[in-house]
Amino acid sequence: MTMATVDAPAGKHARKRKKREPRPGSQGRLTAIALFLLAGLFISINVLAAFSMTSFRVDLTQDQLYSLSPATQRVLSEVEEPITLRFYYSKRLGSQYPNYGVYADRVRDMLQEYADRSAGKIVLEIYDPEPFTPVEDRAVSFGLQSVSLEGVDGSVFFGLVGTNTTDDVEQVPFFQPDREAFLEYDITKMIYALSKGTTGKVGILGNKKITMDVRMGQNGRPEHLPPALVTTRIEEVLEVEELDEEVEVIPDDISILMIIHPKRLSERTRFAIDQYILGGGKAVIFVDPYSEADGWQAANGPVNGAASALDEMFAAWGLEMPTDKVVADRFAGRRVGNATGTGYVTYVPWLLLRGPNLDKDSPITAQVDSVAVASAGYLKLKDGSPLTLEPLLTSSPGSTLFDVKQVATQRPNPQALLNDYQAGPERFVIAGTLTGEAPTAFPNGQPEAIEGGNPELRHDFDVVRDKSDGPIDVVVVADTDLLDDRYWVTYQNFQGQRVAIPGAGNGDFVANVLDAMTGSSALLDLRGQGSTYRPFEVMETLKREADRTYQAKEQELRQTLDETQKKLRSLRERNGATGGPVVLSEEEQATMRQLQGDVLRIRSELRGVQASLRSDVERLERELQFVNIALMPILVALFALVLSVIRARRRRRRIETADAGA
């Protein structure tokens, strides 16, 4: 009886613990069901994302390489008619050259992003032109550039064709990797051109002729001068119309107004320019504190009236362009012949701007090697100006200013200017873009007409704007001489033909300015992006350090090896010199054995040095391979191990708690 009274409660609790523990095999089934449900959930999420979240992306690249800028989205929002983009890319190109494959992936993803963001207005088609197929024929007919690769049959393509509903065609013949930073700009510009369907017309206005000019020759007779080479470059981009200097309204079909050296424009003409810009017209303004071309024409007399500016408008915009100073730059100065004709000297007012003098983030100057200017002025915004000035061309650090009087002479002295040069603390903006809302320069309205003017050009404005309708789009260049051939072009006679050889990129600079301004204002907001090319900087640094460390030792060993082999060869060649075998003395034999040993030792050391050259790199490669291959599985295993230990401890604590409660 006593034993029954004690054992009854223990048996009851034993049955309770048995009820809480899972049955054998049930935990495994629960785990399998959980894994099955997780797999189903994973597949469902992927299927759902593939069909309903095609436009949702997360761009984690440092430079947001796969995201469209707000400027592009504004252009896409204005597309009214469908546009078809046909991307022709030969996969064989990427197989042969992986860097092109990486770039092609980015182009394809960017085009897909355009299509996703266009609300159905952009249709993307992707083709892989195989040799001798209709697809290849279409690529050729669209004007795409075919490239032949060594070891690959046929040609490869990597271009883009865009068409609209009126069969207008725009194309990128071949995506050049060096222009990858402007991929978005090029595609957006294509879409804008197809959506508007016009190429634009540039109206040239001012007192400097670049299309055709007549000047007094040395024999006292007028001479007809051919168009400047920059005009040829402009005509490759746009239709050109020269406007009368007395025009009182800018024609509606002018998409860009190019104002060159406006030193004698009437007040009503300047008013027409003011209203054109305030109404949303785009303008490129070339002004100058001292036109070398005017000074050159006045070689037989005093140099006067070589400056130009739009004083009223510059004052209203808060823009300074002093007409009594020119920029001098010792680093960018051009070399000219000295006074004695026996050498060269740096002429600091004549500049060849290159490298950091050009804004490499702007599509206008990114691919221009250099721009030549002569006696250029500088631009600066006053405090309180409503506009923003983005530099395109700037002088070097340490540049300074000279009075115009120091260069406006019939025979300037380059050596004297160089001797007077004192480096200043700042850089000077020679050309830049102006944006922002601007007031009118003529608050009193349209000026009164003067008597004697051309009645056919007379125009009275019905509506006078006192401020701009929106942000203005203006590029100002404080130099007019960059348009003259003699500062950047030389001509040679080749088989009876006059061949122009550019020495700077002035023509490209002007053409790029006009090309950029033909598009939407949003295009001017697009800046260069990064590149998909990511060099292994750490590895390259290791290689450079290894080269620097071991190269001298390797060179020393090689030199010693050459000398040792030379001595050894001279001993061996004694047989040939004597015409028969020669018995070497014991000393010579010892020397030969020593030399042979030295050769083996030096070669061993040389192999060691060459191995050292790559030891750090190989170590880094091994570490990277470990991180890429083994680290993640190890971390997952450790996490699982820690998790299992924690769960085992919790289970043990629950059992101990239950026992304690019993």
Side-chain angles (χ1 to χ4, degrees), residues 391-453:
L392 292 173
L393 305 178
T394 54
S395 62
S396 306
S399 52
T400 188
L401 299 174
F402 278 162
D403 289 335
V404 168
K405 294 179 181 178
Q406 294 179 266
V407 299
T409 63
Q410 295 181 15
R411 293 183 179 277
N413 189 338
Q415 187 62 56
L417 293 176
L418 187 60
N419 295 337
D420 294 340
Y421 188 94
Q422 293 184 351
E426 57 184 319
R427 305 174 67 181
F428 298 95
V429 178
I430 296 174
T433 58
L434 281 173
T435 57
E437 297 186 1
T440 180
F442 297 86
N444 298 323
Q446 186 176 18
E448 294 292 333
I450 58 173
E451 296 183 358

Side-chain angles (χ1 to χ4, degrees), residues 523-584:
L523 291 176
L524 293 176
D525 295 335
L526 290 177
R527 311 292 290 176
Q529 293 180 309
S531 170
T532 52
Y533 175 65
R534 290 289 184 272
F536 295 100
E537 294 180 357
V538 175
M539 193 169 292
E540 294 297 327
T541 302
L542 286 175
K543 288 181 178 178
R544 284 195 295 271
E545 290 179 354
D547 288 342
R548 189 168 51 251
T549 304
Y550 299 108
Q551 208 165 31
K553 181 65 176 175
E554 182 184 11
Q555 187 175 0
E556 179 184 346
L557 288 174
R558 286 189 179 281
Q559 186 175 358
T560 306
L561 179 63
D562 292 341
E563 293 175 354
T564 305
Q565 288 178 328
K566 187 177 179 181
K567 294 177 182 176
L568 186 60
R569 192 164 48 247
S570 66
L571 287 175
R572 289 173 175 169
E573 288 178 350
R574 286 181 56 189
N575 289 346
T578 58
V582 176
V583 178
L584 299 178

Side-chain angles (χ1 to χ4, degrees), residues 323-614:
T323 55
D324 60 342
K325 300 289 184 184
V326 296
V327 177
D329 187 341
R330 189 167 188 166
F331 296 103
R334 304 181 68 174
R335 303 272 291 172
V336 300
N338 60 17
T340 61
T342 57
Y344 294 90
V345 62
T346 301
Y347 189 40
V348 290
W350 288 11
L351 312 181
L352 185 63
L353 304 173
R354 62 177 77 190
N357 301 122
L358 281 65
D359 180 13
K360 291 301 179 184
D361 289 332
S362 169
I364 296 175
T365 49
Q367 292 191 315
V368 177
D369 292 332
S370 59
V371 176
V373 299
S375 301
Y378 71 95
L379 307 170
K380 185 177 182 180
L381 287 180
K382 299 178 182 176
D383 293 338
S385 170
L387 304 184
T388 301
L389 175 64
E390 292 287 343
L392 292 173
L393 305 178
T394 54
S395 62
S396 306
S399 52
T400 188
L401 299 174
F402 278 162
D403 289 335
V404 168
K405 294 179 181 178
Q406 294 179 266
V407 299
T409 63
Q410 295 181 15
R411 293 183 179 277
N413 189 338
Q415 187 62 56
L417 293 176
L418 187 60
N419 295 337
D420 294 340
Y421 188 94
Q422 293 184 351
E426 57 184 319
R427 305 174 67 181
F428 298 95
V429 178
I430 296 174
T433 58
L434 281 173
T435 57
E437 297 186 1
T440 180
F442 297 86
N444 298 323
Q446 186 176 18
E448 294 292 333
I450 58 173
E451 296 183 358
N454 187 345
E456 296 181 356
L457 299 176
R458 182 69 55 84
H459 179 84
D460 294 320
F461 282 80
D462 297 328
V463 178
V464 176
R465 293 180 173 84
D466 59 358
K467 62 179 182 180
S468 61
D469 295 343
I472 64 173
D473 292 321
V474 176
V475 171
V476 182
V477 183
D479 185 56
T480 60
D481 296 304
L482 69 81
L483 301 172
D484 282 346
D485 287 354
R486 74 185 186 115
Y487 294 101
W488 66 284
V489 182
T490 57
Y491 286 93
Q492 293 184 358
N493 193 335
F494 180 73
Q495 295 183 350
Q497 299 291 325
R498 190 167 180 257
V499 179
I501 302 176
N506 292 29
D508 294 334
F509 170 72
V510 176
N512 288 353
V513 169
L514 298 176
D515 187 41
M517 300 193 76
T518 53
S520 166
S521 302
L523 291 176
L524 293 176
D525 295 335
L526 290 177
R527 311 292 290 176
Q529 293 180 309
S531 170
T532 52
Y533 175 65
R534 290 289 184 272
F536 295 100
E537 294 180 357
V538 175
M539 193 169 292
E540 294 297 327
T541 302
L542 286 175
K543 288 181 178 178
R544 284 195 295 271
E545 290 179 354
D547 288 342
R548 189 168 51 251
T549 304
Y550 299 108
Q551 208 165 31
K553 181 65 176 175
E554 182 184 11
Q555 187 175 0
E556 179 184 346
L557 288 174
R558 286 189 179 281
Q559 186 175 358
T560 306
L561 179 63
D562 292 341
E563 293 175 354
T564 305
Q565 288 178 328
K566 187 177 179 181
K567 294 177 182 176
L568 186 60
R569 192 164 48 247
S570 66
L571 287 175
R572 289 173 175 169
E573 288 178 350
R574 286 181 56 189
N575 289 346
T578 58
V582 176
V583 178
L584 299 178
S585 64
E586 292 184 358
E587 183 179 356
E588 289 173 334
Q589 291 178 3
T591 302
M592 179 174 285
R593 286 194 296 271
Q594 182 183 354
L595 291 175
Q596 289 173 338
D598 290 343
V599 168
L600 295 176
R601 179 183 54 78
I602 294 172
R603 284 179 176 174
S604 176
E605 291 183 10
L606 194 55
R607 285 195 295 273
V609 169
Q610 290 172 341
S612 299
L613 283 171
R614 290 193 51 80

Side-chain angles (χ1 to χ4, degrees), residues 138-445:
R138 282 202 300 273
V140 174
S141 65
F142 279 128
L144 298 188
Q145 182 181 352
S146 61
V147 177
S148 300
L149 299 181
E150 186 177 355
V152 176
D153 294 334
S155 301
V156 295
F157 294 83
F158 186 19
L160 180 67
V161 177
T163 57
N164 58 12
T165 55
T166 56
D167 294 333
D168 293 326
V169 179
E170 295 283 335
Q171 68 274 106
V172 177
F174 196 93
F175 285 103
Q176 299 290 350
D178 60 352
R179 199 170 166 78
E180 182 181 355
F182 300 98
L183 175 63
E184 184 182 3
Y185 173 83
D186 290 338
I187 298 175
T188 303
K189 183 173 178 293
M190 171 188 286
I191 293 173
Y192 177 81
L194 291 170
S195 65
K196 300 302 179 184
T198 57
T199 57
K201 178 191 289 186
V202 59
I204 298 178
L205 174 64
N207 303 116
K208 182 182 182 67
K209 304 298 181 185
I210 61 172
T211 53
M212 181 72 74
D213 201 1
V214 179
R215 291 179 180 173
M216 191 62 68
Q218 294 181 352
N219 56 5
R221 296 179 180 179
E223 296 179 351
H224 290 274
L225 301 179
L229 185 61
V230 71
T231 307
T232 305
R233 292 287 292 117
I234 296 172
E235 290 175 341
E236 293 175 358
V237 180
L238 297 165
E239 183 181 352
V240 175
E241 178 180 347
E242 189 167 1
L243 303 179
D244 194 287
E245 294 179 8
E246 298 180 3
V247 67
E248 294 188 1
V249 64
I250 306 302
D252 294 336
D253 62 343
I254 297 297
S255 53
I256 303 174
L257 183 60
M258 188 172 174
I259 305 164
I260 305 175
H261 209 23
K263 60 180 184 180
R264 292 192 302 272
L265 297 182
S266 69
E267 193 174 18
R268 285 175 71 92
T269 300
R270 299 198 299 274
F271 177 78
I273 296 172
D274 174 82
Q275 293 297 299
Y276 169 81
I277 294 175
L278 296 183
K282 300 167 185 173
V284 184
I285 303 173
F286 291 86
V287 288
D288 207 335
Y290 176 66
S291 168
E292 294 274 356
D294 287 352
W296 176 69
Q297 290 184 71
N300 297 322
V303 180
N304 292 317
S308 61
L310 292 173
D311 294 331
E312 305 101 329
M313 275 173 270
F314 285 4
W317 298 346
L319 178 66
E320 283 185 83
M321 204 290 290
T323 55
D324 60 342
K325 300 289 184 184
V326 296
V327 177
D329 187 341
R330 189 167 188 166
F331 296 103
R334 304 181 68 174
R335 303 272 291 172
V336 300
N338 60 17
T340 61
T342 57
Y344 294 90
V345 62
T346 301
Y347 189 40
V348 290
W350 288 11
L351 312 181
L352 185 63
L353 304 173
R354 62 177 77 190
N357 301 122
L358 281 65
D359 180 13
K360 291 301 179 184
D361 289 332
S362 169
I364 296 175
T365 49
Q367 292 191 315
V368 177
D369 292 332
S370 59
V371 176
V373 299
S375 301
Y378 71 95
L379 307 170
K380 185 177 182 180
L381 287 180
K382 299 178 182 176
D383 293 338
S385 170
L387 304 184
T388 301
L389 175 64
E390 292 287 343
L392 292 173
L393 305 178
T394 54
S395 62
S396 306
S399 52
T400 188
L401 299 174
F402 278 162
D403 289 335
V404 168
K405 294 179 181 178
Q406 294 179 266
V407 299
T409 63
Q410 295 181 15
R411 293 183 179 277
N413 189 338
Q415 187 62 56
L417 293 176
L418 187 60
N419 295 337
D420 294 340
Y421 188 94
Q422 293 184 351
E426 57 184 319
R427 305 174 67 181
F428 298 95
V429 178
I430 296 174
T433 58
L434 281 173
T435 57
E437 297 186 1
T440 180
F442 297 86
N444 298 323

Side-chain angles (χ1 to χ4, degrees), residues 53-123:
M53 302 176 68
T54 54
S55 60
F56 180 77
R57 299 182 181 186
V58 178
D59 189 352
L60 300 179
T61 56
Q62 181 180 5
D63 299 319
Q64 297 294 292
L65 297 179
Y66 300 92
S67 300
L68 300 183
S69 65
T72 293
Q73 295 181 21
R74 288 203 301 274
V75 173
L76 290 177
S77 65
E78 297 172 357
V79 176
E80 297 179 354
E81 298 292 333
I83 294 174
T84 301
L85 299 180
R86 297 179 176 87
F87 178 45
Y88 290 86
Y89 169 64
S90 302
K91 293 181 180 177
R92 294 168 296 146
L93 175 62
S95 302
Q96 191 87 353
Y97 298 96
N99 57 328
Y100 277 95
V102 174
Y103 186 22
D105 289 341
R106 187 193 170 199
V107 174
R108 182 166 45 245
D109 289 346
M110 283 290 288
L111 293 174
Q112 188 61 54
E113 189 72 5
Y114 276 83
D116 293 340
R117 301 289 180 187
S118 66
K121 296 296 177 56
I122 305 294
V123 178

